[in-house]
Amino acid sequence: MRKLFILVVVLFFCIGSNLFSKESNWSFELETASHIMWGTTGEYVYEQTDTDSYKKLSYLEWETKPIFVQDFKSSVQYKHLKFSTLFAFGFPAECGYMYDSDWEDYTVQNCFSKSTNDLDSYFKMEGTISYAFEISRFHVLPFVSVGYRDVSFKGHDGYGLYADKGKSYTTASRPYTFTGEVIGYETFGVQSWLGLTAQYTIGKVQFGISGACLPFQLLYCVDNHYVTKTDYLDIVTGFFCGAKGECSVAYHFTDFCTVSLGATAERAFKIKGDSYAKKSSYTVYSKISNARGAYEYAEYGFFASLKVHF
């Protein structure tokens, strides 16, 4: 058995060294990047009016100031065609505040609350196909990506200001204090990206810039109200509803090792969908006929990465 294991290892390295050698049309990369990111996630509730239009009834803002994310990426390239996979994980931690605002008759903000916001989980995976065009020192890579995104928050402790009917929350006599978990919010679903990356190399230094649009997004947004023991679900979809960009500078220490520093920005614009509700003890949601939910987010930050080439 030991001899068989040694033989398999030797064959693996022999085949790999030939397949991904400089003379080969194949190449392979492994990369990990550490991100620090800031941003906000917006959750909306709209109510249908007599005129068949929808007006804002509630808005919740979830801060991410900041969060820390680690991603892992692998890439296989054959000639100019490149296939990549990415997995990203966030570190659970306190990340700002959650603000909850409600309007009476769509004009008077008579309720306001604030809670400490924790990142409960952050997971993202993407698959990307790109094609490289080489023009002297320039590389231009159009790409398309499809991925899954799952982010959840927990709001705990804090206070609320609730005014009498027809009055602003600022007139509330005294705040209502919360202790423990108050509210949770999770969004998960699929995204697609269509974009272009440009790279320019001078010696061992490479400058890169990338931009992409969000052609399609489908998300399930689950809002858990622990105080009232009520859960809400919004199913939102959008087309060409976002954009992201990245700029970076990389240094090739050797033919096998590259380090990079960069900045990123990502924005998904507000998209709406049907709303559902249920008691927390139930399993089936019921559609709310006169309401629609909406969702948006923005993320921006910086990263440092290490890439190994084979």
Side-chain angles (χ1 to χ4, degrees):
M1 182 63 70
R2 184 178 178 183
K3 291 181 179 180
L4 178 61
F5 174 76
I6 295 174
L7 178 61
V8 170
V9 172
V10 171
L11 287 174
F12 174 80
F13 280 103
C14 289
I15 295 172
S17 61
N18 290 324
L19 183 61
F20 300 120
S21 65
K22 289 185 176 180
E23 293 76 19
S24 171
N25 291 320
W26 291 87
S27 64
F28 180 63
E29 296 175 345
L30 291 175
E31 182 177 6
T32 184
S34 300
H35 299 255
I36 179 172
M37 298 191 299
W38 295 263
T40 58
T41 295
E43 175 192 0
Y44 297 81
V45 177
Y46 290 88
E47 188 173 53
Q48 187 176 20
T49 64
D50 293 337
T51 57
D52 290 332
S53 63
Y54 288 83
K55 293 188 176 181
K56 185 169 63 174
L57 190 66
S58 177
Y59 171 66
L60 290 82
E61 180 179 304
W62 305 78
E63 291 182 334
T64 49
K65 298 181 179 180
I67 60 174
F68 298 91
V69 175
Q70 190 73 29
D71 69 40
F72 303 90
K73 184 177 181 180
S74 62
S75 303
V76 175
Q77 184 167 340
Y78 177 71
K79 294 185 177 180
H80 298 283
L81 191 62
K82 190 174 186 177
F83 304 87
S84 303
T85 58
L86 177 142
F87 295 88
F89 306 88
F91 296 93
E94 184 178 315
C95 60
Y97 295 99
M98 186 283 301
Y99 306 96
D100 187 355
S101 302
D102 296 317
W103 282 262
E104 181 184 338
D105 296 329
Y106 323 115
T107 55
V108 179
Q109 185 181 345
N110 66 335
C111 297
F112 172 81
S113 65
K114 178 181 178 180
S115 298
T116 301
N117 186 33
D118 289 349
L119 177 68
D120 188 50
S121 65
Y122 184 107
F123 173 73
K124 183 168 66 173
M125 62 180 179
E126 285 183 357
T128 302
I129 301 176
S130 60
Y131 190 89
F133 296 92
E134 298 182 12
I135 308 171
S136 184
R137 295 180 178 178
F138 284 95
H139 284 71
V140 179
L141 298 90
F143 66 86
V144 59
S145 299
V146 177
Y148 174 82
R149 173 188 174 94
D150 188 337
V151 181
S152 65
F153 302 104
K154 289 284 180 66
H156 61 90
D157 305 319
Y159 68 91
L161 295 170
Y162 305 99
D164 295 332
K165 184 175 177 62
K167 295 183 179 181
S168 170
Y169 73 92
T170 57
T171 65
S173 58
R174 60 185 178 87
Y176 180 87
T177 302
F178 303 115
T179 56
E181 289 188 347
V182 179
I183 190 171
Y185 189 55
E186 180 181 12
T187 59
F188 57 94
V190 295
Q191 294 178 319
S192 64
W193 295 96
L194 181 64
L196 187 72
T197 297
Q199 299 170 338
Y200 180 70
T201 304
I202 305 176
K204 292 187 175 183
V205 180
Q206 184 179 75
F207 300 92
I209 187 169
S210 178
C213 66
L214 182 59
F216 176 72
Q217 182 173 224
L218 166 64
L219 293 175
Y220 293 81
C221 309
V222 180
D223 186 343
N224 305 114
H225 288 244
Y226 301 121
V227 177
T228 60
K229 301 186 185 304
T230 305
D231 300 333
Y232 298 92
L233 167 66
D234 301 323
I235 303 177
V236 297
T237 56
F239 297 92
F240 293 96
C241 54
K244 67 178 179 179
E246 178 182 309
C247 60
S248 64
V249 57
Y251 184 80
H252 301 281
F253 279 99
T254 68
D255 291 339
F256 304 101
C257 180
T258 301
V259 295
S260 302
L261 296 174
T264 61
E266 183 172 320
R267 175 72 188 273
F269 307 123
K270 188 191 303 180
I271 54 176
K272 297 180 181 179
D274 292 332
S275 293
Y276 303 81
K278 70 176 181 67
K279 283 297 181 181
S280 299
S281 57
Y282 295 177
T283 57
V284 179
Y285 285 91
S286 298
K287 185 176 180 180
I288 306 174
S289 59
N290 64 334
R292 285 173 68 82
Y295 167 82
E296 65 181 359
Y297 73 85
E299 294 177 347
Y300 56 94
F302 302 95
F303 69 88
S305 72
L306 172 65
K307 183 187 293 184
V308 179
H309 311 263
F310 296 92

